[in-house]
Amino acid sequence: MNIEEKIIKLKNEKNAIILAHNYQIVPIQDLADFRGDSLQLSIQAKKSQAPLIVFCGVRFMAETAAILNPEAKVILPVEDAGCPLADMINVEQLREFKALHPEAKVVCYINSSAAVKAESDVCCTSANAVQIINSFPEDETILFVPDKNLGSWVAKKSGRKVIVWDGYCPVHQWGFTRRAYEHLKNLYPDYKMIAHPECDEDIIEVADEVLSTSGMERYVKEHDRLIIATDSSFTDYMQHLYPQKKLISLNTRAFCNNMRKTNLKNLLNALEKEETIVEVPPETSEKALSALNKMLELSN
Ligand code: 13P
Ligand code: SF4
């Protein structure tokens, strides 16, 4: 039996499901029961009946699954698969930020800790951020944490007053430059560029579309020649699904180290040992659930 077969056998024996984010390596996405962006995976986690959810992604995603589905045991195959963006604000910093703007509402990107979610009015993902911001009355001031690039982009799209926290994703902030874009655009003038909203505004300004990873996948289905500005594992997987398309990663070396930590070997080990269990203290979980449920209601 090869390793993929062992994983599937064990998964079936344990009645588990495997969720994988769009930035996971090709073999992991290939054998997952569901793959998708943060919003799609949250919805799958919430509605899953399986007693065991194996989350191939990063900690905040597994934490979100544990909050949305407290009946299930949620495991993260690599204990230290974190998200540097989520770590850019902690709950004390958020409380100080709120104290400076007591009249404002707080929208937190799902890339945040459970404790930060618990202190927020509503969560959002890159797929529904504009919709969530637009759900507030027009004159409401909104504090957006922790991603300044997503926050600035939604402020522009919605015309709302948004005060952004100064956090960023190192992969998207530094991985893609206007110079690299201009170089590729000179070589391939008929290619369109799609970018993730975590990219710096230098890239956002010249992108043909700004999309979450699920939005990017829809765009890939409809276009044949694209430059893609997000984690290069996403482009690898799209190329694997659509080998006839001409897809170029704006930077093949820009990928999330934390997402790449999960591989078939540690996934099998995680399933065997049912490790690492991700749990959220009940009080935090209850409050964070309210911010997550509000997001899910608004994105219907
Ligand atoms: P998506 O929800 O668009 O998949 O993005 C998640 C993420 O972590 C991007 O860096
Ligand atoms: Fe976090 Fe960036 Fe990795 Fe996404 S790509 S999980 S935002 S570090």
Side-chain angles (χ1 to χ4, degrees):
M1 226 190 285
N2 67 25
I3 189 157
E4 279 97 341
E5 288 163 346
K6 283 185 192 161
I7 291 169
I8 290 165
K9 183 170 178 280
L10 198 53
K11 182 196 78 165
N12 292 338
E13 280 168 14
K14 297 196 174 201
N15 198 13
I17 61 159
I18 299 177
L19 303 183
H21 185 261
N22 288 327
Y23 293 164
Q24 291 286 297
I25 57 172
V26 172
I28 297 281
Q29 292 203 51
D30 262 351
L31 65 66
D33 295 291
F34 299 99
R35 57 171 192 87
D37 70 1
S38 316
L39 180 62
Q40 293 169 324
L41 296 176
S42 301
I43 294 168
Q44 284 302 335
K46 186 180 163 87
K47 69 179 189 201
S48 168
Q49 303 282 326
L52 183 64
I53 298 176
V54 186
F55 211 116
C56 299
V58 294
R59 179 163 291 270
F60 78 81
M61 295 178 176
E63 240 178 32
T64 302
I67 295 165
L68 288 168
N69 189 340
E71 307 287 301
K73 186 194 261 189
V74 178
I75 57 173
L76 183 67
V78 180
E79 187 172 13
D80 70 346
C83 168
L85 167 60
D87 295 339
M88 286 196 187
I89 190 164
N90 62 33
V91 72
E92 287 77 26
Q93 289 169 310
L94 176 54
R95 285 185 188 135
E96 283 167 24
F97 193 33
K98 282 166 73 168
L100 291 175
H101 308 278
E103 76 297 346
K105 293 282 187 269
V106 180
V107 177
C108 78
Y109 190 24
I110 200 161
N111 298 41
S112 54
S113 67
V116 163
K117 289 183 178 76
E119 280 284 325
S120 302
D121 293 289
V122 58
C123 285
C124 74
T125 75
S126 55
N128 60 20
V130 176
Q131 213 178 340
I132 301 294
I133 298 280
N134 278 335
S135 72
F136 286 95
E138 267 177 45
D139 56 351
E140 194 94 71
T141 301
I142 292 151
L143 305 184
F144 191 96
V145 300
D147 188 44
K148 64 175 177 181
N149 292 322
L150 176 63
S152 306
W153 177 70
V154 289
K156 221 172 182 176
K157 293 279 284 184
S158 63
R160 301 301 170 100
K161 185 171 179 217
V162 181
I163 305 172
V164 298
W165 185 257
D166 192 19
Y168 56 85
C169 160
V171 181
H172 289 86
Q173 180 68 48
W174 297 321
F176 311 107
T177 62
R178 184 72 82 88
R179 222 171 131 199
Y181 166 72
E182 279 157 8
H183 175 71
L184 280 181
K185 199 65 184 165
N186 269 333
L187 293 173
Y188 308 102
D190 59 331
Y191 280 51
K192 288 192 185 299
M193 180 170 76
I194 52 176
H196 196 275
E198 287 172 16
C199 291
D200 188 84
E201 64 173 354
D202 244 23
I203 295 297
I204 299 291
E205 275 170 11
V206 290
D208 291 285
E209 290 290 342
V210 178
L211 298 160
S212 69
T213 57
S214 59
M216 285 182 168
E217 180 164 357
R218 284 194 294 277
Y219 201 86
V220 168
K221 280 185 194 155
E222 290 160 10
H223 296 80
D224 290 327
R225 291 161 196 270
L226 289 176
I227 299 168
I228 303 179
T230 196
D231 177 301
S232 60
S233 298
F234 173 80
T235 311
D236 294 344
Y237 199 69
M238 290 300 108
Q239 195 68 84
H240 170 71
L241 287 185
Y242 305 103
Q244 75 289 1
K245 296 199 186 249
K246 306 259 184 259
L247 306 175
I248 306 173
S249 183
L250 182 54
N251 179 358
T252 54
R253 284 172 302 166
F255 55 81
C256 179
N257 286 320
N258 284 283
M259 288 282 185
R260 290 245 180 140
K261 285 177 180 169
T262 312
N263 55 41
L264 293 172
K265 215 169 143 197
N266 54 40
L267 171 56
L268 177 60
N269 185 53
L271 255 171
E272 276 166 355
K273 299 193 179 135
E274 300 192 12
E275 284 177 352
T276 311
I277 300 172
V278 175
E279 283 170 320
V280 179
E283 209 185 300
T284 309
S285 182
E286 212 173 286
K287 289 191 198 150
L289 181 61
S290 149
L292 282 164
N293 275 339
K294 223 175 276 172
M295 168 186 86
L296 294 174
E297 278 161 30
L298 291 169
S299 29
N300 272 335

